[in-house]
Amino acid sequence: MQIFPLHPFTPPGDVPALRQQVRDLITAHEPRWTIEQRADTWFGNDAEFSRALGTAGLLGMTWPKQYGGHERSMLERYIVLEELLAGGAPAGLHWIADRQTGPLLLRYGTEEQREKYLPGMARGETYACIGLSEPNSGSDLASVRTFARKTLEGWRVNGQKVWTSGAHHCHAALTLLRTEEGSERQQGLSQLMIDLDTPGVTVRPIIDMAGRHHFNEIFFDDALVPLGALVGTEGQGWKQVTAELALERSGPERYLSSHLLLIALIDAVGPEPAPDVAQLIGRLTAEMWTLRQMSLSTAAKLAAGEDPVVEAAIVKDLGNAYEQALPRLVQAAVEVDLAGPSDLSRLLAWFLLTSPSFSLRGGTPEVLRGIIAKGLGLR
Amino acid sequence: MSENRTLLVEMAEGLFADLSGAEFASAWPRVAEAGFASLLVPADAGGFGGDWGDVLAVLRLAGLNALAAPLAEPILAHHLLAQAGIAAPEGLLTIAAPGQRVPFARHADGIVRAGDGAVALYLPGSYSVTQGTSPAGEPWDAVDFTGEPVASVASDIDLLALGAFARVAQASGALEAAFTLSIDHVNTRVQFGRALAKFQAVQQALAEFSEEAAAVDASAAACAAALDHGDAGFEIAAAKLRTGIAIDRSVPIAHRVHGAIGFTIEYALNHHTRRLMGWRSEFGSDSFWAERLGRAVAKLGGKGLWHEVAARTDRQVAASG
Ligand SMILES: Cc1cc2nc3c(=O)[nH]c(=O)nc-3n(C[C@H](O)[C@H](O)[C@H](O)COP(=O)(O)OP(=O)(O)OC[C@H]3O[C@@H](n4cnc5c(N)ncnc54)[C@H](O)[C@@H]3O)c2cc1C
């Protein structure tokens, strides 16, 4: 059994021109960005840039035109993503909506939901967040307890979500909760698209160890959510969320998060580096290049309608390990003043603090390896 | 992809499985007879007319079956001669890349040497062989070229890189074989009243192993695609280095989950792990390729690295579209 047969990545259209379009947009906006904002890429914020991407037709690229989309291929979208990441563009505000919430609404949502959310998402103006984790439900997601009771007026929601990225900027949260009283584990779960300005919904900041306000907790105190907020089928939340996680785990953001530091290292040491630094650059390049081949192949499989669950878990686990090791390897190999003003100093200081999260968000190594082991028939 | 790939793979699968465990003396005549050596020689020159994807497929199967006969060496030797327009003599041809041992030299009927701007064919009598042995017990000879070649043609072909690609391809097969043995072993070996496969620590280790094998498979396939496109210096450097890293990470896992049985000469695991250990050093070590690649990247500059990586796959897309 060949573990990873390479699936050819053959996007339609003029690929270099598409890359250039993204690079030009970045060049036009980069004077406004701090180096830390750029380092955050898909966690970084710039509303004007998100809107500019929308105007350029680079959001909702694969969605039907009737919802503001552009009916382009998933592989063209992939090219835009990798260019944004490699170019260090703060594209975090719309990232989740474009990556998973929009596609989930297209697949499972009602007509009303699509019309309400998708055009704004494609313009880069409507943002969404992921309401999965709870204080007592992390890796063990099937243990969620937030509860929505169906009444004549709507869903009455009580409970708490946590670690919700970007909720303080977002308009709505696609939330996994229990809709069947007394149900256990994967049974009785549903997804609601909850507008965050709903009375009874409170978003509170959690400051991360890098000092950022990035994630949040969301409290639901008897919040009344319209019946029309149900996404897909009542009780089918687990199945839907599995599909959402597949979209969440398979992209190029799972290995390129610290690419800016590699750029800074190369530029700092110049065209004739010492042998040991040249070797480090070579090693990082080899890992990055290999991950890209694997990621392209996985994207091509997804685009071909296959369901590469194991491949996606492999790319995310290897990719997270690489992007997380990069700052440590740079720190070990070169003298860097962590309080210094250079790009290399600032980026290294930043990535040392932010990289521990790379292998947590979207599922930990143990969880991903569990998925792989299952695919291998070991469990 | 070559039209004959399916046929070729079927033939190689059958033959190499048959030869699994056979020594050089019995294996080589059958491999020679099957004609694999002319895989890359154009059809109008009497060869198979295959592409690098075919080479990958066949070498991967050789690695998978721990084939004791030379295969990469004669394929590359015939390729070099065909490219240089030098007629190939009968028998086993092997290759001499700069600074490398010459696999199977003691058995060879000729050595194709490439480097210093030339490809040259040496026949027995024009060189002396000092025998050496690889970690897998295979002939890894040192060759002293004492006489003149029968033919020499100017060429800047990078045989070190082609040899490195061959070892990446073989390693992808050997890693799969070691991985399959490991899976089979943990599914059947019982300790503490359970199959080893039921322990999470073991599952996680094998998941890591699969990731490494996957990385080598992907990098090997990407190299073959780049070679078929023309220049693959960047890809081969990255792939050989990534393969070294994968060997570093996964061979210890294979041995760990096997326990003592995997450390015996009878059990098949060592046929694969010993070869992998040797290939890691052959045709450029990790640090050799890391430095070569790192220097090339340093010249590209920080942004240039990404531009190069993207452009290299884009031109393949353009060629296929
Ligand atoms: C920056 C950041 C952003 C995030 N954004 C979001 C978001 O937007 N929305 C959202 O819903 N969530 C978000 N998360 C939460 C993330 O999904 C969880 O952190 C993750 O699923 C792990 O859950 P946990 O933190 O509760 O850790 P735990 O599940 O408690 O795990 C702690 C450790 O125990 C290990 N472990 C757990 N179970 C097992 C097991 N069965 N076997 C072996 N080891 C095990 C884990 O691998 C881990 O190493 C975010 C997290 C971070 C760090």
Side-chain angles (χ1 to χ4, degrees):
Chain A
M1 169 200 48
Q2 195 168 343
I3 296 155
F4 210 95
L6 209 65
H7 196 293
F9 182 88
T10 46
D14 186 342
V15 178
L18 181 57
R19 288 194 195 284
Q20 198 54 51
Q21 187 188 2
V22 182
R23 290 174 191 173
D24 289 345
L25 268 173
I26 292 175
T27 308
H29 286 81
E30 62 188 349
R32 10 186 311 122
W33 300 331
T34 66
I35 192 90
E36 288 82 7
Q37 208 178 356
R38 305 193 67 164
D40 266 345
T41 62
W42 63 287
F43 264 50
N45 300 336
D46 179 2
E48 192 182 308
F49 184 64
S50 287
R51 265 197 308 278
L53 285 172
T55 306
L58 300 178
L59 298 181
M61 283 177 78
T62 63
W63 307 349
K65 290 190 172 149
Q66 71 180 113
Y67 304 117
H70 304 282
E71 302 184 1
R72 298 181 75 169
S73 98
M74 283 170 73
L75 302 186
E76 290 177 285
R77 174 173 176 268
Y78 183 97
I79 285 163
V80 172
L81 296 187
E82 62 171 10
E83 285 299 326
L84 290 173
L85 296 163
L93 283 174
H94 64 266
W95 196 271
I96 307 288
D98 179 70
R99 176 180 74 188
Q100 63 197 81
T101 323
L104 250 277
L105 291 179
L106 266 177
R107 184 156 164 193
Y108 297 112
T110 63
E111 193 52 37
E112 192 190 328
Q113 289 164 351
R114 293 175 186 171
E115 280 167 12
K116 177 174 174 189
Y117 295 108
L118 295 180
M121 288 176 169
R123 284 195 308 272
E125 290 171 359
T126 302
Y127 315 132
C129 55
I130 310 166
L132 297 178
S133 305
E134 297 181 2
N136 291 316
S137 303
S139 301
D140 183 15
L141 186 58
S143 67
V144 295
R145 283 275 156 253
T146 299
F147 187 67
R149 183 191 313 280
K150 203 178 191 174
T151 71
L152 286 176
E153 315 144 281
W155 300 96
R156 281 281 169 198
V157 183
N158 282 285
Q160 184 192 346
K161 293 290 170 184
V162 72
W163 318 128
T164 326
S165 295
H168 52 307
H169 299 296
C170 289
H171 303 90
L174 187 54
T175 311
L176 180 72
L177 25 66
R178 215 159 273 289
T179 46
E180 188 188 325
E181 190 125 42
S183 65
E184 287 297 329
R185 310 294 304 161
Q186 290 89 345
Q187 310 301 317
L189 297 173
S190 303
Q191 285 186 299
L192 297 184
M193 185 73 171
I194 301 181
D195 289 335
L196 292 174
D197 59 4
T198 306
V201 178
T202 315
V203 175
R204 288 204 195 121
I206 303 175
I207 305 303
D208 70 21
M209 70 180 250
R212 289 177 304 184
H213 174 197
H214 171 78
F215 50 26
N216 303 273
E217 44 192 349
I218 308 182
F219 295 91
F220 302 95
D221 296 308
D222 231 21
L224 183 63
V225 175
L227 289 174
L230 176 72
V231 176
T233 312
E234 192 176 335
Q236 292 299 305
W238 185 259
K239 192 180 132 227
Q240 294 172 203
V241 123
T242 309
E244 185 179 345
L245 286 173
L247 296 171
E248 177 172 344
R249 285 178 178 155
S250 56
E253 65 269 43
R254 299 307 181 181
Y255 77 100
L256 283 173
S257 302
S258 51
H259 187 72
L260 240 54
L261 181 58
L262 179 54
I263 294 179
L265 172 69
I266 294 166
D267 287 339
V269 300
E272 299 289 346
D276 58 332
V277 180
Q279 286 184 22
L280 174 64
I281 292 171
R283 187 186 164 116
L284 294 171
T285 300
E287 298 234 30
M288 185 272 276
W289 172 83
T290 304
L291 281 159
R292 179 165 184 264
Q293 305 306 321
M294 300 172 83
S295 180
L296 291 174
S297 167
T298 308
K301 277 198 166 178
L302 264 174
E306 291 180 44
D307 193 15
V309 182
V310 172
E311 280 102 324
I314 287 178
V315 178
K316 179 175 179 326
D317 192 32
L318 270 186
N320 289 162
Y322 158 77
E323 60 183 15
Q324 199 162 59
L326 203 158
R328 301 197 308 265
L329 291 170
V330 172
Q331 184 177 34
V334 255
E335 287 303 328
V336 180
D337 172 8
L338 289 177
S342 72
D343 278 5
L344 184 62
S345 287
R346 287 173 71 181
L347 287 169
L348 180 56
W350 186 247
F351 280 116
L352 285 172
L353 294 186
T354 57
S355 57
S357 69
F358 295 174
S359 63
L360 299 175
R361 56 191 193 191
T364 67
E366 287 73 20
V367 165
L368 297 167
R369 290 172 195 169
I371 293 170
I372 297 164
K374 198 168 217 162
L376 297 173
L378 296 176
R379 52 182 287 253
Chain B
M1 173 164 127
S2 131
E3 290 161 20
N4 299 324
R5 174 93 46 94
T6 322
L7 205 79
L8 183 73
V9 164
E10 268 169 24
M11 192 168 94
E13 251 167 0
L15 179 63
F16 299 167
D18 216 32
L19 294 176
S20 180
E23 305 270 317
F24 168 84
S26 52
W28 167 244
R30 308 248 335 252
V31 171
E33 189 194 344
F36 288 113
S38 75
L39 195 51
L40 283 174
V41 176
D44 55 20
F48 180 85
D51 60 19
W52 290 98
D54 294 331
V55 174
L56 168 57
V58 169
L59 290 181
R60 193 177 189 285
L61 286 168
L64 186 71
N65 290 288
L67 183 69
L71 185 63
E73 296 81 1
I75 289 175
L76 292 179
H78 283 267
H79 168 64
L80 293 180
L81 292 181
Q83 292 253 306
I86 302 173
E90 289 290 309
L92 169 59
L93 301 182
T94 186
I95 48 173
Q100 298 296 303
R101 283 186 173 269
V102 181
F104 300 95
R106 74 189 72 162
H107 300 300
D109 302 295
I111 298 176
V112 180
R113 186 185 188 191
D116 294 330
V119 165
L121 172 64
Y122 289 81
L123 296 180
S126 62
Y127 55 82
S128 66
V129 173
T130 310
Q131 296 197 355
T133 307
S134 80
E138 294 185 310
W140 246 14
D141 300 332
V143 170
D144 191 10
F145 293 93
T146 48
E148 290 302 309
V150 285
S152 178
V153 171
S155 164
D156 59 0
I157 202 148
D158 187 356
L159 179 55
L160 198 66
L162 295 181
F165 167 71
R167 294 306 183 238
V168 169
Q170 289 168 278
S172 73
L175 282 167
E176 180 186 326
F179 179 69
T180 307
L181 282 173
S182 301
I183 293 274
D184 291 348
H185 180 73
V186 301
N187 276 326
T188 46
R189 168 80 173 166
V190 173
Q191 287 292 283
F192 299 99
R194 292 195 272 168
L196 294 178
K198 297 298 153 207
F199 293 98
Q200 194 193 41
V202 172
Q203 293 170 359
Q204 300 260 316
L206 287 174
E208 277 187 72
F209 190 163
S210 77
E211 293 176 12
E212 295 303 316
V216 175
D217 264 335
S219 67
C223 275
L227 275 164
D228 280 325
H229 191 73
D231 150 46
F234 187 102
E235 287 81 1
I236 292 173
K240 179 66 164 69
L241 172 53
R242 186 62 186 82
T243 300
I245 295 170
I247 292 169
D248 182 78
R249 292 179 185 162
S250 51
V251 165
I253 298 177
H255 280 288
R256 194 168 89 214
V257 301
H258 269 91
I261 190 76
F263 190 58
T264 62
I265 195 82
E266 293 102 294
Y267 189 84
L269 182 63
N270 76 76
H271 303 165
H272 304 292
T273 54
R274 286 164 65 197
R275 282 185 166 82
L276 287 164
M277 291 170 191
W279 294 336
R280 189 176 179 191
S281 285
E282 248 188 320
F283 298 108
S285 65
D286 296 11
S287 60
F288 171 84
W289 288 110
E291 189 164 341
R292 191 193 263 198
L293 183 61
R295 293 208 173 282
V297 169
K299 294 206 169 54
L300 293 169
K303 273 192 179 174
L305 164 61
W306 179 260
H307 291 186
E308 175 73 7
V309 163
R312 294 186 79 88
T313 45
D314 287 352
R315 66 187 170 212
Q316 279 166 229
V317 171
S320 74

